[in-house]
Amino acid sequence: MITTEKTSSIHDFMEQVKLKNPAQHDFHQAVHEVVESVYPFIDKHPRYKTAKILERIIEPDRIIIFRVCWEDDQGNIQINRGFRVQFSNAIGPYKGGLRFHPSVSLDTFKFLGFEQVFKNSLTTLPMGAAKGGSDFDPKGKSDNEVMRFCQAFMTELIRHIGKDTDVPAGDIGVGAREIGYLFGQHKRLTNRFTGILTGKSLEYGGSLIRKEATGYGCVFFVEEMLKNQGNSLDGKICTVSGSGNVAQYTTEKVIQLGGRVVTLSDSAGTIYDPEGVSIEKLEFVKDLKNVRRGRIKEYADKYGCTYIEGKTPWGVKCDVAFPSATQNELLLDDAKSLVSNGCIAVGEGANMPTEADAVKYFLSQGVLFGPAKAANAGGVAVSGLEMTQNSMRISWDRSDLEDRLKGIMQSIHSQCLEYSTDANGAPNYVDGANIAGFVKVAEAMLNYGIQ
Ligand code: NDP
């Protein structure tokens, strides 16, 4: 058993985490980052230590792993693995996305579920934390194959979710199409129309602004960091990685706030458009990625700009970087290159996109670093608002929801500032987010006694 009594240092604590969770490197990385922030805080607040909150908060409530069998278009039987890691329902029903990607493992969902605990706490809404998905790869599959997979996946997941139990959403590889198939199967099997998923289309209970929320929220958070230093996004050159949901709406909001996005990418390469992605070019990207499911290279072919095969955007000069594709996509050398090119702020749109030593480097250089838990919490925040609208059977309008999202991102920024330490003259938002997220969940856990 991992205990702070046995562990006199963060190093000892992490050694025990590694022993107990072998080969789960992403999970180790996520826990280490939180422990580094929270350990000194707990030392000053012994009630958390006595109740062993840190030891308990790193252990998921439960992990569900299941087989998903479906038939492809050729009539062959396909077997995938499904996961749901229900991490903590201390402050509300489990809430967190589903990811369909061939690279996922239990490690992926443990790291994502753990991060979600702190993120959901920061949103100020009553949401616990979970994450799940499958090693199914929607790329190259027909709509009918995706439908059959989603139906088979939901047929098993249904035992474990519910509007007051666990409310999944989308993530990488799970967009409006997949949510529709999943929701439809749940409705068919239960004969009930309830808000058991968020990210739904507007016709059947979805919320306005949900698809925009993570990207918009990330930009609002960065704008708050800059404002706190007497600066703004107006006129800033921005690099964005990815070209999926988060990247698209990050780009849209940056353009609206007067910035210029000069890169987008996918798993095959990066486009560099020094003139900037305009709203019209962004419409092309949305159609390319959401409808035609093509490669970002087509953008370079259409608009005659540079395509850098197999590379991420971090070698391109910018003022602000928005890593918005996937975990560990921004390494130490990338951080060095960004800083030497004059980058002053980073907003993590993706989950844990920056490697630990790259985060440390940014902080050592006084870069305003918005960690994912805080910066990309807008998506789950509007999911929380979708749940509220479903329960009340009403729909709020677009401007009302965007105002609420902005208010939540400002509140997250204030909470982070309240608990932030100093990072070479700039606020250390990593410590701020970890400690602020921890306190609310820890206080709830203290109320429940030993469980
Ligand atoms: P999408 O599936 O819409 O887009 C993902 C993008 O990232 C695509 O451009 C994809 O390229 C690229 N990508 C995926 N895997 C890799 C890889 N291994 N290497 C390089 N590029 C890769 O996902 P989202 O935009 O929804 O999610 C992006 C990130 O944001 C994830 O970390 C997710 O967890 C996080 N996030 C998303 C939220 C949301 O509301 N959607 C909420 C909070 C966080 P390709 O097309 O080639 O696969």
Side-chain angles (χ1 to χ4, degrees), residues 99 139 171 173 210 214 243-246 266-267 295 325 350-351:
R99 179 177 291 191
K139 259 194 223 129
D171 190 74
R210 173 59 190 93
T214 307
S243 46
N245 173 271
V246 179
D266 62 18
S267 51
R295 312 308 297 157
N351 282 312

Side-chain angles (χ1 to χ4, degrees), residues 105-359:
S105 64
L106 179 57
D107 181 25
T108 319
F109 296 119
K110 280 184 71 181
F111 118 67
L112 289 166
F114 181 70
E115 292 270 301
Q116 201 83 38
V117 174
F118 302 86
K119 181 186 307 192
N120 292 6
S121 165
L122 284 168
T123 63
T124 70
L125 303 174
M127 293 183 292
K131 202 82 188 191
S134 174
D135 58 358
F136 172 76
D137 186 0
K139 259 194 223 129
K141 304 287 190 304
S142 70
D143 285 350
N144 274 334
E145 288 176 322
V146 172
M147 179 187 73
R148 285 195 292 274
F149 172 80
C150 288
Q151 291 178 342
F153 182 85
M154 180 53 83
T155 302
E156 177 60 32
L157 187 70
I158 200 168
R159 305 168 203 276
H160 310 288
I161 63 172
K163 72 179 173 53
D164 299 315
T165 314
D166 183 350
V167 184
D171 190 74
I172 291 178
V174 180
R177 174 182 61 169
E178 289 75 15
I179 293 287
Y181 294 144
L182 292 164
F183 185 86
Q185 181 71 350
H186 186 277
K187 183 173 65 59
R188 176 160 70 163
L189 294 177
T190 58
N191 192 25
R192 276 200 214 121
F193 192 103
T194 52
I196 48 87
L197 286 163
T198 59
K200 301 184 290 294
S201 290
L202 294 175
E203 302 77 27
Y204 63 95
S207 174
L208 287 164
I209 296 289
R210 173 59 190 93
K211 70 177 189 304
E212 295 89 342
T214 307
Y216 278 20
C218 187
V219 178
F220 288 145
F221 190 86
V222 168
E223 183 78 343
E224 285 301 304
M225 292 198 298
L226 290 168
K227 200 161 87 188
N228 188 50
Q229 308 270 312
N231 206 337
S232 83
L233 268 167
D234 191 27
K236 298 284 183 300
I237 306 289
C238 302
T239 46
V240 175
S241 66
S243 46
N245 173 271
V246 179
Q248 290 168 18
Y249 290 100
T250 294
T251 303
E252 189 162 289
K253 189 48 77 182
V254 167
I255 298 170
Q256 288 171 8
L257 294 183
R260 186 172 358 142
V261 172
V262 294
T263 66
L264 288 168
S265 68
D266 62 18
S267 51
T270 293
I271 60 103
Y272 172 44
D273 182 352
E275 287 176 8
V277 180
S278 61
I279 290 292
E280 183 209 330
K281 291 172 181 173
L282 184 60
E283 288 310 312
F284 171 80
V285 174
K286 287 180 187 172
D287 179 64
L288 174 71
K289 285 292 173 180
N290 309 344
V291 182
R292 293 194 285 120
R293 300 179 194 278
R295 312 308 297 157
I296 198 66
K297 182 177 183 301
E298 288 182 45
Y299 178 107
D301 296 341
K302 181 168 171 70
Y303 295 110
C305 71
T306 308
Y307 175 68
I308 320 163
E309 188 158 354
K311 291 274 191 262
T312 53
W314 316 127
V316 172
K317 185 173 167 54
C318 67
D319 303 305
V320 183
F322 289 97
S324 311
T326 192
Q327 64 266 25
N328 292 326
E329 53 161 316
L330 198 162
L331 315 181
L332 178 60
D333 282 347
D334 301 321
K336 288 183 175 166
S337 148
L338 282 164
V339 172
S340 72
N341 276 328
C343 176
I344 57 165
V346 177
E348 287 194 316
N351 282 312
M352 208 168 74
T354 316
E355 280 206 329
D357 46 5
V359 176

Side-chain angles (χ1 to χ4, degrees), residues 3 6 43-44 85 87 130 182 191 201 207 226 229 234 244 271 274 280 330 351 361 369 398 412 421 427 447:
T3 72
K6 282 198 236 159
D43 261 347
K44 293 187 203 134
V85 177
F87 224 103
L182 292 164
N191 192 25
S201 290
S207 174
L226 290 168
Q229 308 270 312
D234 191 27
I271 60 103
E280 183 209 330
L330 198 162
N351 282 312
Y361 183 76
F369 183 82
R398 176 172 284 273
I412 294 173
T421 53
N447 278 281

Side-chain angles (χ1 to χ4, degrees), residues 44-92:
K44 293 187 203 134
H45 300 84
R47 65 180 189 283
Y48 300 133
K49 198 165 190 166
T50 314
K52 294 196 166 60
I53 298 293
L54 192 57
E55 294 83 341
R56 284 198 259 162
I57 212 169
I58 60 169
E59 198 64 44
D61 288 353
R62 72 189 58 75
I63 295 173
I64 300 140
I65 301 182
F66 50 95
R67 183 178 64 234
V68 187
C69 283
W70 56 282
E71 214 173 276
D72 67 20
D73 286 347
Q74 286 71 46
N76 301 312
I77 296 168
Q78 300 284 345
I79 300 114
N80 285 101
R81 185 171 289 178
F83 299 85
R84 188 71 178 161
V85 177
Q86 295 180 332
F87 224 103
S88 165
N89 64 356
I91 60 168

